[in-house]
Amino acid sequence: MRDFTTYMDIALAEARLAAERGETPVGAVIVANGEVLAQNGNRTRELSDPTAHAEILVIREACAALGSERLPDADLYVTLEPCPMCAMAISSARIARVYYGAADPKSGGVEQGPRIFSHKQCHHKPEVYGGINEAESGDILRAFFEARR
Amino acid sequence: MRDFTTYMDIALAEARLAAERGETPVGAVIVANGEVLAQNGNRTRELSDPTAHAEILVIREACAALGSERLPDADLYVTLEPCPMCAMAISSARIARVYYGAADPKSGGVEQGPRIFSHKQCHHKPEVYGGINEAESGDILRAFFEARR
């Protein structure tokens, strides 16, 4: 039986692969009933697609695999606090639980700024757990941006 | 020279096509330098993709056409106030101006609820003009939901 730190390890591996591709290093995994449905990292540059954040890619992939626009049995693991776009996509997909790593004061949309899940215009609020392996997630991001300076 | 009501007419035509497909009838168009780069309607059911809102589809299509994840010269026309996901995608794509039709008190994210463009976590705020052909946009939505009751 794998636990949530193991799934976050998969997300962290995807973040490292994203860094190797020159993408902002964020990785995500979707899990349902103990099975990984999708795992991916940020690909906005590679795909010339500003919506190709790790969370959006795994949501689209898991939904396509199940033939459903809703994933009520699924949990999402992501190495960084989701931005407002991704938070709303998580809600629309009816994902049950979100586990994230580092908080993102600059661009986050869950615990700060627009706090997407806190408004009545948000029709599904997942359970949210932050700070999972946050030091490792933050280290990957810091190393990436320091190397590019 | 076509003006913004003409572009909104294209978006409204896309909304009607979405209704014919059984999708929530919202349509969108992206225009740059007088040229339509992409036009589409909501396809969440058809694609089993909760992110396949009209705005996301035209952003992805226009970015792919230009090979760029940013569209600083582009304007977006959409028949309904964007939801928080789409509003943030519009910001990330650096779209210059957003023209929308009806307000969306239930699920909107621009003028109500999370008011995406009003937070410091939003790094590009487009010019926003609401209420363009709003009666026609609202009529299409109302007719769709009344027919399904």
Side-chain angles (χ1 to χ4, degrees):
Chain A
M1 188 71 184
R2 295 193 289 186
D3 65 12
F4 66 79
T5 58
T6 307
Y7 293 126
M8 191 58 91
D9 285 337
I10 298 173
L12 288 162
E14 290 290 344
R16 285 189 198 92
L17 289 170
E20 288 175 17
R21 294 192 300 269
E23 306 271 5
T24 301
V26 180
V29 180
I30 289 183
V31 179
N33 306 311
E35 186 191 352
V36 173
L37 295 181
Q39 62 186 77
N40 214 331
N42 183 29
R43 293 181 189 270
T44 56
R45 292 176 177 221
E46 174 190 339
L47 301 177
S48 297
D49 180 355
T51 76
H53 287 189
E55 302 95 310
I56 300 286
L57 294 176
V58 294
I59 288 170
R60 296 181 63 212
E61 191 176 331
C63 285
L66 298 182
S68 168
E69 53 175 317
R70 296 190 172 182
L71 303 167
D73 298 325
D75 299 338
L76 185 143
Y77 298 76
V78 57
T79 58
L80 186 66
E81 178 186 350
C83 82
M85 174 181 73
C86 292
M88 196 65 223
I90 287 165
S91 172
S92 296
R94 302 293 192 271
I95 285 172
R97 293 170 210 84
V98 177
Y99 301 88
Y100 70 82
D104 186 2
K106 181 166 172 277
S107 304
V110 172
E111 301 293 342
Q112 46 216 321
R115 298 178 194 273
I116 290 295
F117 303 136
S118 72
H119 299 274
K120 70 173 183 181
Q121 285 80 5
C122 176
H123 309 300
H124 166 77
K125 302 175 202 304
E127 293 174 34
V128 176
Y129 306 92
I132 314 294
N133 296 22
E134 64 184 320
E136 195 172 350
S137 165
D139 286 347
I140 293 170
L141 282 155
R142 266 186 300 276
F144 178 78
F145 287 112
E146 278 167 16
R148 292 170 77 87
R149 247 173 233 149
Chain B
M1 187 74 185
R2 295 193 292 187
D3 65 12
F4 65 80
T5 58
T6 307
Y7 293 126
M8 190 59 91
D9 285 338
I10 299 173
L12 287 162
E14 290 290 343
R16 285 188 198 94
L17 289 170
E20 288 174 16
R21 295 192 300 269
E23 306 272 3
T24 300
V26 180
V29 180
I30 288 183
V31 179
N33 306 315
E35 186 191 353
V36 173
L37 296 180
Q39 62 185 78
N40 213 331
N42 183 29
R43 294 182 188 270
T44 57
R45 292 177 178 221
E46 174 190 339
L47 301 177
S48 297
D49 179 357
T51 76
H53 286 188
E55 301 95 311
I56 300 286
L57 294 176
V58 293
I59 288 170
R60 296 180 63 212
E61 192 176 330
C63 285
L66 298 183
S68 169
E69 53 175 316
R70 296 191 173 181
L71 302 167
D73 299 324
D75 299 338
L76 185 143
Y77 297 76
V78 58
T79 58
L80 185 67
E81 178 185 350
C83 82
M85 174 182 73
C86 293
M88 196 65 224
I90 287 165
S91 172
S92 296
R94 302 293 191 270
I95 285 172
R97 293 169 209 87
V98 177
Y99 300 88
Y100 70 82
D104 186 2
K106 182 166 172 277
S107 303
V110 173
E111 301 292 342
Q112 46 215 319
R115 297 177 195 271
I116 290 296
F117 302 136
S118 72
H119 299 275
K120 70 172 183 182
Q121 285 79 6
C122 176
H123 309 300
H124 166 77
K125 302 174 200 303
E127 293 174 34
V128 177
Y129 305 91
I132 315 293
N133 297 22
E134 66 184 322
E136 194 171 352
S137 165
D139 287 347
I140 294 170
L141 282 154
R142 268 187 298 279
F144 178 78
F145 287 112
E146 279 168 13
R148 293 170 76 87
R149 250 173 228 145

